Amino acid sequence: MLSRPLNFFLCFFFLFTLPNSLTIKAATSKIELIEQNWPFNGIFGRFDKASLQRGFKVYSEVCSACHGLRHLSYRDLAGIGYSNDEIKVIAGEYEIIDGPNDEGEMFTRDAKMSDKFVGPYENDKVARLANNGAYPPDLSLIVKARAGGADYIYSLLNGYKDFPENFEAGEGMYYNEYYPGNQIAMPPQIEDDIVEFDDGTTASNVQIARDITSFLAWTAEPELERRKSLGVKTLFFLVLITIMLLGVKRKVWKNLD
Amino acid sequence: MKEKEIDNSKGISGWIDKRLPVFTFINHNLRDYPTPKNLNYFWNFGSLAGITLVIMIITGILLAMQYTANTEIAFDSVERIMRDVNNGWLLRYIHMNGASMFFIIVYIHMFRGLYYGSYKYPREILWMLGVVILLLMMATAFMGYVLPWGQMSFWGATVITNLFSAFPIIGDYIVTFLWGGFSVDNPTLTRFFVLHYLLPFAIVGVVALHLVALHQFGSNNPTGIDVKSEGDTIPFHPYYTVKDYLGLGVYLIVFAFLVFFAPNFLGHPDNYIPANPLQTPAHIVPEWYFLPFYAILRAVPDKLLGVLLMFAAVMVLFFLPWLDKHKIRSANFRPFYKQFYWLFFIDCIVLGWVGAMPAEGIYVLISRIATLYYFGFFLVIMPLLSKFEKTTELPSSISAAVISDKFDNKEPSTSESYVK
């Protein structure tokens, strides 16, 4: 009795909503993304803290030269396992302009835990000027803002190739299999040993790409672990109470027979 | 079913009820309220829609306390909700996915009405109020999608408001009026926020009227036969309260799964890129619940005609009670209508699908055929069937239908046991 409307509901749900996600996939890339088995995938998904910390190191030493993380504060780093003292040291390496002070002057000071991540450029114009007219996007949300999510970012980082013959390349552009239109302004950044990991992990280019992608998945969805664990509990509760309601319903309706 | 009278000579509730008959009202409308005894689970979707509306209003009010309607900081204020507001991500994901759930529920609710002829005499106004609710929901959802001020927000708003420019002479004036300027900009965002906050309360008002109209004649039922005696009905409480709770449980499981494990499945990734008026996204797609109408819009090569057809696709619903004048309500007893109905259902799915595809090649042809059937179903098939369709034999009453149903259901199970 329950099953027919329920099936209908679910069929309706998928029939109506699937085209949406299909087009997004179809529109952005004709080439299959490299699918990775991310630890944060799935219902019980969790971040690998060590990987996130390595990813943060990659971000600080490589990506942050051009890309900002403007939605994050330094205090958020507690979420990937840094202690307050460590975060203070990290923040202290950056300077921000504050003020005006009581004399009416702007001044620079060391960044504090409560400050947002300091971006690489003062404004968009400077960013474009320094990058051949291309604007290096802010990375806070990049994993959520691209179809394919983490797999796309990982593929992109591993997707640099030489230009195929007869490809009309723009000045200062690079060929990337996964980038829409295949021409990307960002030069390939990742190579073996471009960073040295504190935990002794070998810094192969694949490892670096994996760690930075994990880190960016975290910056896009810092609530992911809490969301998924709350979700499991909520679903457990809802399934339990629904089974009980099914019993109650059957008992009450028996009166009518 | 005889109503239990509230004794208002005794107790605090009696004292209050004598002066303000709230308890009598609740008793009348939620407890003893006589309801056909054969309602199936498709009749759950009305109460589910009501509950979803409440969920949307509560989460919406809480979000509005944190959101800032200013093009400079709207996007960042949403991100602040996601990151820094306690459980802000939960509120926003419930609200965001709640919109989709609301449309799923309401669409099923409407398809149910269409199948069982719930719009026919004497429930015409009940149905029309429902269409008003749908229109208000569409306006509210559209404006809500603009608020996070991402790329799809901005470009969706630009495309949809620009549709009005198709009207001759007054078109451009209307668009400027909607925008509050000469492009989608801060005045547009602020007014959309105000209206997005206001319209749900208008929906609540129309929902109240919808319920008053419903309780005038009571629910339709799967046989479409009128209630003839007390034996055809059962009190709303406990039978339908418990059934609604059970439906709610199943619904919340699906809803929660979406919120917790696939919160962005129904959204578009581009909306996590801040709005940029200088950069048009490769494909501008509306939210999935508008896709069938979007397909109708694009099926026509002429802009004005497309816009008119799109509006007509909703407006035609208002005239349903007069397009389908067949005396029998339920499709169960109308063999031809039933087939055209399911074809119409598939047609709506097809429209939704082509609406998501690029408007080129074979998709244009498919969208045209689907649009033709959409209107053909209402304007040609329905009136013709009302004249010529012969129905199968109807049960004599709701009770008779219930008894024969049970008999039918028991038959296969006994034969199965024989096989074993």
Side-chain angles (χ1 to χ4, degrees):
Chain A
M1 219 176 158
L2 180 73
S3 63
R4 221 182 65 190
L6 180 63
N7 284 341
F8 185 82
F9 175 66
L10 293 175
C11 288
F12 190 89
F13 183 84
F14 285 113
L15 281 173
F16 251 104
T17 56
L18 217 60
N20 203 12
S21 49
L22 285 181
T23 34
I24 294 167
K25 260 202 174 144
T28 40
S29 62
K30 277 148 209 100
I31 182 164
E32 288 278 311
L33 297 177
I34 311 168
E35 274 190 39
Q36 290 278 298
N37 184 21
W38 302 106
F40 47 84
N41 282 350
I43 289 179
F44 299 102
R46 294 289 181 272
F47 287 118
D48 171 0
K49 292 270 159 65
S51 172
L52 296 188
Q53 293 197 4
R54 291 195 298 270
F56 173 60
K57 184 154 195 199
V58 179
Y59 169 77
S60 325
E61 292 183 10
V62 185
C63 318
S64 68
C66 304
H67 295 277
L69 273 181
R70 68 194 183 93
H71 292 295
L72 264 77
S73 305
Y74 290 106
R75 62 179 157 78
D76 292 331
L77 290 173
I80 61 172
Y82 286 107
S83 70
N84 280 359
D85 292 332
E86 286 170 316
I87 296 170
K88 274 175 196 158
V89 174
I90 292 166
E93 289 166 16
Y94 298 89
E95 282 191 335
I96 64 167
I97 299 166
D98 201 351
N101 60 15
D102 293 344
E103 280 81 48
E105 306 282 337
M106 300 302 279
F107 59 93
T108 45
R109 62 163 172 82
D110 290 348
K112 290 188 285 201
M113 278 179 77
S114 55
D115 286 315
K116 295 273 180 198
F117 270 55
V118 178
Y121 301 107
E122 256 176 65
N123 54 55
D124 294 7
K125 299 276 185 209
V126 184
R128 282 186 190 277
L129 189 69
N131 289 285
N132 193 20
Y135 177 67
D138 187 88
L139 295 182
S140 317
L141 282 164
I142 203 80
V143 168
K144 260 176 153 177
R146 295 291 181 275
D151 286 332
Y152 170 75
I153 301 297
Y154 181 81
S155 304
L156 185 88
L157 290 172
N158 288 304
Y160 284 91
K161 293 265 154 68
D162 290 332
F163 275 108
E165 278 178 50
N166 305 327
F167 192 96
E168 272 191 48
E171 173 95 13
M173 302 297 269
Y174 300 85
Y175 186 84
N176 193 302
E177 282 189 308
Y178 300 94
Y179 193 72
N182 299 120
Q183 276 195 84
I184 187 167
M186 177 172 83
Q189 294 297 337
I190 288 173
E191 51 192 84
D192 290 340
D193 299 316
I194 195 168
V195 290
E196 195 180 319
F197 289 132
D198 302 332
D199 60 2
T201 308
T202 314
S204 64
N205 61 359
V206 183
Q207 183 67 41
I208 293 170
R210 203 176 150 81
D211 288 339
I212 183 63
T213 306
S214 298
F215 174 70
L216 293 177
W218 171 76
T219 63
E221 301 192 295
E223 89 297 341
L224 181 139
E225 291 193 349
R226 212 176 109 66
R227 170 158 59 79
K228 290 191 173 177
S229 80
L230 192 60
V232 169
K233 288 173 208 154
T234 308
L235 275 190
F236 179 75
F237 167 77
L238 284 174
V239 169
L240 201 70
I241 200 160
T242 305
I243 291 169
M244 281 157 67
L245 281 167
L246 182 65
V248 177
K249 192 259 165 189
R250 285 198 171 153
K251 189 158 193 290
V252 168
W253 277 71
K254 247 197 172 104
N255 298 340
L256 289 177
D257 287 342
Chain B
M1 185 89 22
K2 208 157 171 238
E3 276 196 35
K4 214 168 51 185
E5 290 295 318
I6 301 251
D7 180 6
N8 54 20
S9 62
K10 273 191 277 185
I12 297 173
S13 56
W15 188 90
I16 294 172
D17 198 66
K18 186 170 179 172
R19 286 149 185 86
L20 181 73
V22 276
F23 298 107
T24 304
F25 178 84
I26 289 168
N27 195 40
H28 181 76
N29 288 299
L30 284 171
R31 221 176 123 203
D32 292 342
Y33 176 61
T35 314
K37 62 181 180 187
N38 59 336
L39 301 187
N40 61 30
Y41 277 95
F42 284 117
W43 264 263
N44 278 50
F45 288 88
S47 76
L48 289 180
I51 290 163
T52 312
L53 177 62
V54 173
I55 293 174
M56 292 304 278
I57 288 180
I58 293 173
T59 52
I61 288 173
L62 292 171
L63 286 170
M65 291 176 185
Q66 305 287 349
Y67 170 77
T68 311
N70 180 304
T71 53
E72 294 286 312
I73 47 175
F75 187 91
D76 290 2
S77 79
V78 172
E79 269 314 303
R80 193 186 147 266
I81 292 172
M82 294 297 289
R83 290 158 192 273
D84 292 342
V85 173
N86 290 340
N87 294 307
W89 59 269
L90 182 57
L91 284 176
R92 173 160 180 260
Y93 279 158
I94 291 175
H95 198 73
M96 213 170 101
N97 289 290
S100 287
M101 296 308 288
F102 205 177
F103 275 96
I104 291 171
I105 295 294
V106 164
Y107 284 158
I108 295 176
H109 188 60
M110 291 169 68
F111 274 118
R112 189 268 288 160
L114 203 59
Y115 185 87
Y116 294 109
S118 302
Y119 46 85
K120 292 184 186 180
Y121 173 85
R123 297 185 182 82
E124 298 94 332
I125 291 186
L126 172 62
W127 172 265
M128 291 163 81
L129 286 168
V131 181
V132 173
I133 294 172
L134 176 70
L135 281 172
L136 286 171
M137 273 177 66
M138 288 175 148
T140 310
F142 163 64
M143 288 188 281
Y145 193 58
V146 177
L147 302 186
W149 210 243
Q151 274 288 68
M152 276 298 155
S153 299
F154 179 86
W155 289 99
T158 304
V159 169
I160 301 297
T161 48
N162 254 318
L163 293 179
F164 290 91
S165 70
F167 293 107
I169 307 166
I170 51 164
D172 287 332
Y173 175 75
I174 297 176
V175 175
T176 313
F177 180 76
L178 287 174
W179 287 343
F182 300 101
S183 65
V184 175
D185 208 334
N186 202 49
T188 325
L189 179 61
T190 47
R191 67 189 50 199
F192 276 20
F193 178 51
V194 170
L195 292 173
H196 181 72
Y197 199 102
L198 174 73
L199 288 186
F201 295 98
I203 295 178
V204 171
V206 185
V207 166
L209 295 177
H210 193 67
L211 287 174
V212 172
L214 171 70
H215 284 221
Q216 186 76 358
F217 294 99
S219 297
N220 183 27
N221 66 80
T223 65
I225 308 170
D226 285 328
V227 170
K228 287 180 181 142
S229 66
E230 270 185 23
D232 289 344
T233 65
I234 46 178
F236 191 80
H237 182 74
Y239 298 106
Y240 285 110
T241 39
V242 73
K243 197 167 176 174
D244 278 352
Y245 275 130
L246 176 57
L248 178 63
V250 175
Y251 169 58
L252 288 182
I253 289 172
V254 178
F255 195 164
F257 188 86
L258 206 57
V259 167
F260 288 108
F261 301 114
N264 294 305
F265 174 69
L266 297 172
H268 197 292
D270 277 13
N271 227 27
Y272 284 108
I273 305 171
N276 182 355
L278 300 175
Q279 191 179 37
T280 320
H283 294 272
I284 302 174
V285 230
E287 288 276 80
W288 69 266
Y289 37 81
F290 292 134
L291 288 175
F293 303 102
Y294 194 55
I296 291 174
L297 168 79
R298 298 192 308 176
V300 193
D302 181 68
K303 189 177 172 189
L304 178 61
L305 204 62
V307 173
L308 289 175
L309 266 192
M310 185 180 70
F311 286 124
V314 185
M315 290 305 163
V316 71
L317 297 172
F318 278 113
F319 301 98
L320 213 53
W322 296 278
L323 290 169
D324 176 11
K325 293 173 93 171
H326 201 285
K327 282 200 294 291
I328 302 307
R329 294 198 187 99
S330 173
N332 281 347
F333 307 106
R334 298 180 59 185
F336 291 102
Y337 175 73
K338 194 175 185 172
Q339 287 174 33
F340 286 114
Y341 169 88
W342 284 113
L343 202 57
F344 176 74
F345 178 75
I346 294 166
D347 189 60
C348 289
I349 305 281
V350 169
L351 278 171
W353 168 69
V354 284
M357 294 296 158
E360 56 196 30
I362 186 79
Y363 300 122
V364 179
L365 184 67
I366 296 172
S367 70
R368 284 182 186 162
I369 295 168
T371 304
L372 204 65
Y373 184 75
Y374 184 95
F375 287 103
F377 176 73
F378 288 120
L379 301 175
V380 181
I381 294 169
M382 274 192 160
L384 282 181
L385 286 181
S386 352
K387 272 206 172 135
F388 300 113
E389 187 177 23
K390 290 211 167 53
T391 55
T392 53
E393 203 189 332
L394 268 79
S396 58
S397 71
I398 291 174
S399 296
V402 171
I403 289 162
S404 78
D405 241 17
K406 273 200 184 127
F407 187 68
D408 286 347
N409 284 344
K410 268 178 193 152
E411 275 300 304
S413 65
T414 43
S415 59
E416 250 173 44
S417 56
Y418 273 114
V419 172
K420 278 172 199 163

